[in-house]
Amino acid sequence: MGRSDYVRDSGGRALGARLRRLSETIDRDAARCYDFFGVAFEQRWFGVLNQLRLNGPMAVGDIAAALDITHVSVSQTRKSLTGAGLVSTRADPDDARRNLLDLTAKGRALVATLDPLWRALSDASAELDLEAGAVAEALDRLDDALARRSLFDRVVGRLDDPGRADG
């Protein structure tokens, strides 16, 4: 008898666990690609580096908005990228209260080195999406459903007494 897969067997009832597992699988394989390519790279760097590659210098808040992630998340990534010598920070010439992130020479060289790998990762991701039946479209629908009504609101709406600590 085969081993049971609780997360898979639970279907939509373990959606968060399933998404985390898939994310970890994809991130692990991407890390293997970077290792194979001989590059020390943290997967969490990609979004920020790619925004800077595509748009030039940007403020943390603008990057967060473009990626639809928290300011704190981008700030943490900025610290890591700055520590690795890939990104620098400078005052915005149009607004001295804001700082802009920019690729350093080392960052630009890394981005140029990684461009073929990033294209291959993008193509492989598109292939996976097609093979799996347009998962990205399903994720868009999931994003939209959560925007209409959060998981929190859905849970609280099902509880008899939301203030009850014993569930």
Side-chain angles (χ1 to χ4, degrees):
M1 181 174 180
R3 196 179 101 192
S4 177
D5 183 339
Y6 172 79
V7 173
R8 188 175 193 138
D9 294 344
S10 296
R13 296 185 183 282
L15 190 56
R18 188 72 179 268
L19 291 172
R20 273 188 298 284
R21 183 167 79 183
L22 288 168
S23 180
E24 287 176 6
T25 299
I26 291 167
D27 284 351
R28 186 173 42 251
D29 271 355
R32 288 178 61 204
C33 291
Y34 291 113
D35 286 344
F36 181 80
F37 211 69
V39 176
F41 188 82
E42 294 181 33
Q43 183 64 19
R44 67 186 176 122
W45 291 350
F46 175 75
V48 173
L49 288 177
N50 194 45
Q51 285 300 304
L52 296 175
R53 176 181 70 94
L54 294 172
N55 301 308
M58 294 177 72
V60 168
D62 295 335
I63 295 170
L67 299 174
D68 198 16
I69 60 176
T70 66
H71 191 282
V72 170
S73 179
V74 175
S75 290
Q76 290 171 344
T77 301
R78 174 195 51 83
K79 287 178 189 172
S80 179
L81 287 166
T82 301
L86 302 172
V87 169
S88 62
T89 304
R90 62 179 167 86
D92 184 340
D94 298 325
D95 184 348
R97 297 168 297 174
R98 289 177 13 131
N99 287 318
L100 298 178
L101 305 184
D102 198 4
L103 293 171
T104 62
K106 182 179 178 182
R108 285 189 299 278
L110 178 64
V111 166
T113 298
L114 290 176
D115 187 60
L117 177 58
W118 286 349
R119 279 187 273 122
L121 283 165
S122 179
D123 291 346
S125 295
E127 177 184 312
L128 277 169
D129 184 56
L130 182 64
E131 182 179 328
V135 173
E137 290 177 14
L139 292 173
D140 288 344
R141 292 190 302 273
L142 179 59
D143 273 340
D144 294 344
L146 287 168
R148 283 189 301 275
R149 189 166 177 226
S150 72
L151 178 64
F152 175 82
D153 288 341
R154 292 166 193 266
V155 169
V156 170
R158 284 173 169 70
L159 298 175
D160 293 332
D161 181 5
R164 192 173 68 201
D166 64 357

